[in-house]
Amino acid sequence: MRVKLADAAATEEFARHFAACLPERTAGWIVLLTGELGSGKSTFARALIRGLGHPGVVPSPTYTLIEPYDVAGGRVYHLDLYRVASEDELYFLGYDELDDGLRLIEWPERAPRTGTGADVRLTFHY
């Protein structure tokens, strides 16, 4: 399926609709966001997390690598793997312990193992 998103507002709206389509409990789900730098992955992620019920600020996890959020349906872990140099770093990040929530992963190609068992993969293009 292809969806044309004209701007950031359209990307945010799509993310809110996507959030509404997810089941009430998303523990164990993996959503991958791939695409070029600046193509809308973070905009989508922020809007999705807000759409799932997080009322506060949603900072980019570019430097922290993982940001956890408590939402109505459970937990969301927003991961940004752009700065991950090796898939082995997932162990030190505690990746395997994040299955109690939805893992929303930007730059999953930096650690291909994250794609194993992914429920949804969204690819963003200019």
Side-chain angles (χ1 to χ4, degrees):
M1 170 176 164
R2 283 186 179 258
V3 177
K4 183 167 174 62
L5 305 169
D7 54 24
T11 302
E12 291 169 356
E13 182 66 20
F14 179 69
R16 286 189 292 273
H17 285 295
F18 184 85
C21 292
L22 289 172
E24 188 174 313
R25 300 285 303 156
T26 56
W29 274 60
I30 299 172
V31 176
L32 306 178
L33 305 178
T34 65
E36 300 169 86
L37 191 64
S39 61
K41 297 180 300 295
S42 293
T43 299
F44 178 89
R46 284 186 186 101
L48 176 63
I49 292 165
R50 287 188 191 113
L52 290 172
H54 179 72
V57 176
V58 180
S60 173
T62 300
Y63 294 102
T64 58
L65 304 182
I66 301 174
E67 288 288 337
Y69 299 94
D70 290 316
V71 297
R75 202 141 227 241
V76 175
Y77 296 101
H78 182 193
L79 293 86
D80 185 329
L81 303 181
Y82 184 75
R83 299 196 184 287
V84 170
S86 164
E87 193 165 57
D88 294 337
E89 291 180 45
L90 291 178
Y91 172 79
F92 298 106
L93 294 174
Y95 180 81
D96 291 331
E97 299 168 18
L98 305 179
D99 60 354
D100 64 325
L102 182 147
R103 291 179 244 186
L104 179 60
I105 306 172
E106 294 185 55
W107 297 100
E109 59 274 17
R110 303 283 184 166
R113 182 180 92 147
T114 59
T116 304
D119 296 287
V120 178
R121 177 186 300 265
L122 300 174
T123 303
F124 293 80
H125 300 280
Y126 289 106

